[in-house]
Amino acid sequence: MKTASASAPASAPGDEPHWLTDEEQCVWRSYIEAATLLEDHLDRQLQRDAGMPHVYYGLLVKLAESPRHRLRMTELAMHAKITRSRLSHAVARLEKSGWVRREDCPSDKRGQFAVLTEEGFQVLRRSAPGHVAAVRQAVFERLTPEQQKSLGEIMRIVAEGLQPSEAGADLPWLR
């Protein structure tokens, strides 16, 4: 089955869609397969070594990198590229483990901070070496330095194109 190109304008009724070429179809399917397998690989490694899924690890990393190990929940959702509802569920699970706590925002009664606890920091510290090894083995050891640079440039272009800056953009962290 042909797949409509994401960059092609919507077809008018009766117009033929701008289908992917065979080469584009091959690239697209290779990307989907690799992205799915990579996420599964990293999830399994982190579940085995740290008892958490990859998305939770990413939240802990972002908090660890933030001043005072804290971020507003909306900002954390933006960095994680997930909905606020999914973030709230993830933070509730991380709170239950004792790795994160929520604090009310003094300047905004509706706002909350997610704060990395010392226990969460230690879990992150213990799980980071295995995670880095899994990423290195799955991605970087398979690519030449030139391929790594190209992959980074390509992914930045794709990510920038999917994050419109205009008001009302339909982005996960705004839902």
Side-chain angles (χ1 to χ4, degrees):
M1 174 177 185
K2 298 276 187 174
T3 303
S5 171
S7 64
S11 301
D15 287 351
E16 181 71 13
H18 184 184
W19 299 112
L20 296 178
T21 65
D22 288 345
E23 187 174 322
E24 288 169 333
Q25 187 71 254
C26 183
V27 169
W28 176 244
R29 289 183 181 182
S30 293
Y31 164 77
I32 292 296
E33 184 177 323
T36 301
L37 289 169
L38 180 60
E39 188 62 28
D40 179 69
H41 175 72
L42 297 176
D43 260 342
R44 284 184 293 113
Q45 178 270 318
L46 284 164
Q47 285 288 359
R48 180 184 63 244
D49 295 352
M52 74 177 100
H54 188 222
V55 70
Y56 291 14
Y57 179 86
L59 296 173
L60 296 180
V61 167
K62 195 62 198 162
L63 290 171
E65 293 172 342
S66 299
R68 298 175 50 212
H69 294 178
R70 69 179 47 232
L71 275 175
R72 290 281 302 254
M73 291 284 284
T74 52
E75 191 175 351
L76 187 55
M78 182 185 73
H79 286 295
K81 310 293 186 244
I82 59 177
T83 63
R84 291 179 287 191
S85 172
R86 184 172 180 202
L87 175 68
S88 183
H89 176 74
V91 169
R93 298 281 307 271
L94 291 168
E95 280 181 301
K96 190 174 180 180
S97 297
W99 301 344
V100 170
R101 71 175 181 275
R102 292 183 215 220
E103 292 180 357
D104 291 332
C105 178
S107 63
D108 177 3
K109 296 223 183 268
R110 292 178 23 203
Q112 285 191 317
F113 287 96
V115 182
L116 183 65
T117 65
E118 182 58 33
E119 185 179 350
F121 186 78
Q122 292 308 318
V123 166
L124 184 59
R125 179 182 225 136
R126 285 190 306 271
S127 59
H131 180 66
V132 170
V135 169
R136 185 168 296 289
Q137 177 271 327
V139 179
F140 294 101
E141 290 176 0
R142 298 173 187 276
L143 302 176
T144 66
E146 295 80 21
Q147 289 171 323
Q148 292 173 24
K149 183 178 178 188
S150 293
L151 179 62
E153 291 169 354
I154 290 165
M155 293 296 100
R156 272 190 296 282
I157 290 167
V158 171
E160 287 170 4
L162 293 171
Q163 295 181 91
S165 57
E166 67 267 2
D170 185 20
L171 296 167
W173 55 93
L174 300 176
R175 288 186 229 135

